Amino acid sequence: DNSVVVIENIYRLRAKGATIIQAAVSGAGQVLAKKMLTVKFIQGKPMAFTIMLLLTFLLADIVLSLFGGIIFSFAMFDSIRDALQLKKNDKYAQAMYIGLYLCGMLGSSILPFSGMPLGITNAFNAAISGYGYSVNPVIYIASALPVGVCFIILYSLSIRYLFRCDMSCLTNLNVDQLESMKNVSTKFNKFQIIYLLSFLVDIGYSFALLLIP
């Protein structure tokens, strides 16, 4: 069954520790975060910056898995919180910490091929197989990604208008001055490019098997 091949191939890559260890060592996560958070159109715009920040965390959780992604995200936001001189009990900080966990759960579930998401997917597949149905990984991921993006946009709006957090502190934030970003380049080095390409090729090859008769 092609679905099983997809699961085995992606799980093999993640089981090697590639998504957590190699990405952390190469610093690809930091480079990607800096590229996303230094985009001109979000500078001086607290809402746009918050949305992009949570999108960065979501992407980190997809690539680094739940555990690695949360560690990366918390370290990144702690650096931002320090730069803004916000205390941990500040309303915006508290809302963002909750957002980190939510992004972690969402990101780790978008590729449901290991850990708890894999167990849930298998259980769901077993439940509906008797009715002649099965989970199509391509459709699942194509649906999960926009759902994650929409959730982040709605959550960011909630931070401002529902939780009534003051975002004005983000107006003059300079990402380049963050302690965790001072020595980070906006360009991937050769090792990082090779790692990211191998990760994408492996997943792309797995999904291609679903499209080949």
Side-chain angles (χ1 to χ4, degrees), residues 99-158:
L100 297 186
Y101 279 114
L102 294 175
C103 285
M105 298 304 294
L106 280 171
S108 64
S109 299
I110 287 177
L111 294 179
F113 304 122
S114 66
M116 185 170 63
L118 174 62
I120 294 174
T121 302
N122 286 340
F124 184 71
N125 255 329
I128 64 177
S129 60
Y131 300 95
Y133 297 102
S134 63
V135 176
N136 185 308
V138 175
I139 295 177
Y140 173 87
I141 294 176
S143 303
L145 281 171
V147 168
V149 172
C150 288
F151 169 80
I152 285 175
I153 294 174
L154 291 175
Y155 185 75
S156 299
L157 291 171
S158 297

Side-chain angles (χ1 to χ4, degrees), residues 164-204:
R164 297 188 180 281
C165 298
D166 182 11
M167 294 182 171
S168 60
C169 56
L170 296 168
T171 304
N172 298 315
L173 178 66
N174 187 345
V175 175
D176 289 320
Q177 297 302 314
L178 296 178
E179 191 63 34
S180 60
M181 289 292 179
K182 285 184 178 179
N183 298 317
V184 177
S185 172
T186 56
K187 295 182 179 180
F188 294 107
N189 60 37
K190 291 182 179 179
F191 179 80
Q192 294 164 351
I193 292 175
I194 291 173
Y195 163 69
L196 291 173
L197 286 177
S198 64
F199 177 75
L200 293 174
V201 167
D202 190 85
I203 293 179

Side-chain angles (χ1 to χ4, degrees), residues 52 61 86 105 155 157 207:
M52 186 65 80
D61 289 308
L86 297 177
M105 298 304 294
Y155 185 75
L157 291 171
F207 282 121

Side-chain angles (χ1 to χ4, degrees), residues 36-37 48-61 73 92 95-101 103 148 151-153 155-157 159:
M36 293 180 67
L37 296 178
F49 184 87
T50 297
I51 292 174
M52 186 65 80
L53 184 59
L54 289 174
L55 283 174
T56 301
F57 295 153
L58 179 69
L59 187 58
D61 289 308
S73 300
Y92 179 76
M96 287 301 293
Y97 282 127
I98 294 174
L100 297 186
Y101 279 114
C103 285
F151 169 80
I152 285 175
I153 294 174
Y155 185 75
S156 299
L157 291 171
I159 292 176

